[in-house]
Amino acid sequence: MIITDLHLHTAHSGDCDEPMEAVAESAIERGLKEICFTEHYDPDFPPEEEYDFTLDADAYLTHFKICAERFEGRIKLLFGVELGLQPHLTEILREYAAAYPFDFIIGSSHLANGKDPYLPSYFEGRSEREAYLEYFESTLKCVECFDDFDVYGHLDYVVRYGPNKDKYFSYGAYSDILDEILKRLIEKGKGIEVNSGGLAHGLDHPNPRLEILKRYRELGGEILTTGSDAHKAERVGYRFDDLNELIKSAGFEYITVFEKRRPRFISLD
Ligand SMILES: [Zn+2]
Ligand SMILES: [Zn+2]
């Protein structure tokens, strides 16, 4: 049984209204033992989009401390962030990561060259393959130029929003670029996460899909965290029973939790 959800949003994220307390209560109901809030910090997000991803980390930290105390003995709460990576933001993000006592940092690509795959316009006027490749190439750039994260978030996130979603998507069809990303992450000692949000977005797989998890393991990758990416309390730990089986079938015996940016390994059985 998986007892940690290390990818959760609350009302401190610009696209979420759920109180931190409700997320923690839901995690307790689901039998989770430790969870990490990973609020969005996405500077320089396209201004035409309605969301404000400029996280007020001081307010977030103050609220977190109150909650951590309130829930002590019932569940362990961890203080994290999901950084929206873009190559030109390296310096800003490095300073931000160092300015707060984060337990855990997810580095994620939510944009590729400033464009948002969440919007249909990202896919217009080109093939799905070109659009997916641009996303993965921009992920590789971020992996190359940035170090201040612990795991890379939802590696094949772009597939959630493609016109055909994962119908024509496989590791094999994109193995060159995916291998480069995975190898660089492993060389840098970075992990990946398995994010059940993919299953909530109409895919048959989490992000990334099983083949990519297997490949990461095969190349020597050992650091894997589990996250639901819940933006609603009822989505906490979403389909973690399925994730448990999937992770084992990918060749992992352990999952990882980060505290004070240090990994700790938990046996899956
Ligand atoms: Zn994300
Ligand atoms: Zn997220």
Side-chain angles (χ1 to χ4, degrees):
M1 184 186 166
I2 296 171
I3 51 162
T4 68
D5 189 336
L6 298 197
H7 192 151
L8 293 167
H9 297 277
T10 80
H12 291 281
S13 291
D15 59 351
C16 181
D17 302 320
E18 206 69 275
M20 194 181 273
E21 292 81 355
V23 174
E25 286 293 352
S26 174
I28 293 167
E29 277 168 31
R30 283 160 175 76
L32 298 174
K33 303 293 179 213
E34 45 192 330
I35 59 171
C36 188
F37 302 110
T38 51
E39 310 292 2
H40 284 297
Y41 180 56
D42 268 83
D44 200 18
F45 210 74
E48 62 276 20
E49 293 196 41
E50 61 187 292
Y51 299 116
D52 177 4
F53 289 126
T54 53
L55 173 62
D56 180 348
D58 293 311
Y60 169 33
L61 180 57
T62 303
H63 188 192
F64 171 80
K65 284 180 178 166
I66 294 167
C67 261
E69 203 171 311
R70 180 170 155 193
F71 283 90
E72 210 185 326
R74 298 178 68 207
I75 190 166
K76 182 164 188 168
L77 304 182
L78 296 164
F79 182 68
V81 69
E82 179 178 16
L83 299 177
L85 305 186
Q86 299 189 64
H88 69 283
L89 298 176
T90 302
E91 206 44 53
I92 293 172
L93 294 174
R94 184 177 297 144
E95 281 172 21
Y96 196 84
Y100 297 95
F102 293 120
D103 286 305
F104 177 53
I105 298 180
I106 301 176
S108 292
S109 286
H110 294 127
L111 302 171
N113 300 316
K115 293 174 295 201
D116 189 348
Y118 178 74
L119 302 176
S121 58
Y122 177 81
F123 295 93
E124 273 163 23
R126 56 176 170 172
S127 69
E128 189 176 72
R129 182 174 177 82
E130 275 174 81
Y132 285 3
L133 280 174
E134 184 183 20
Y135 179 84
F136 292 131
E137 274 153 18
S138 108
T139 295
L140 181 61
K141 262 187 234 160
C142 293
V143 172
E144 293 288 356
C145 72
F146 191 66
D147 286 317
D148 293 286
F149 65 93
D150 301 306
V151 304
Y152 217 93
H154 45 58
L155 266 186
D156 56 6
Y157 168 85
V158 67
V159 173
R160 285 187 194 174
Y161 306 111
N164 302 293
K165 295 199 175 232
D166 60 353
K167 196 171 170 195
Y168 305 110
F169 179 72
S170 66
Y171 160 72
Y174 296 83
S175 60
D176 289 352
I177 184 77
L178 289 172
D179 272 6
E180 274 194 77
I181 293 169
L182 294 174
K183 284 176 187 167
R184 282 303 284 145
L185 286 169
I186 292 165
E187 278 166 22
K188 287 185 159 211
K190 303 298 181 192
I192 59 172
E193 68 156 358
V194 56
N195 181 312
S196 64
L199 296 163
H201 278 82
L203 303 179
D204 292 330
H205 292 266
N207 299 108
R209 65 202 281 114
L210 175 63
E211 300 161 282
I212 299 173
L213 295 174
K214 271 188 182 159
R215 185 63 179 150
Y216 172 71
R217 186 72 200 90
E218 200 174 279
L219 291 168
E222 290 180 313
I223 298 170
L224 182 72
T225 61
T226 48
S228 64
D229 210 349
H231 287 67
K232 293 272 174 217
E234 66 265 22
R235 279 274 171 84
V236 175
Y238 184 70
R239 291 184 60 179
F240 271 18
D241 288 345
D242 295 330
L243 276 200
N244 197 42
E245 290 313 304
L246 192 106
I247 292 168
K248 282 200 247 172
S249 69
F252 291 89
E253 290 168 13
Y254 299 89
I255 52 168
T256 311
V257 174
F258 280 84
E259 191 169 351
K260 297 189 169 45
R261 306 288 313 278
R262 280 188 217 102
R264 172 161 40 88
F265 295 89
I266 300 179
S267 174
L268 274 171
D269 283 313

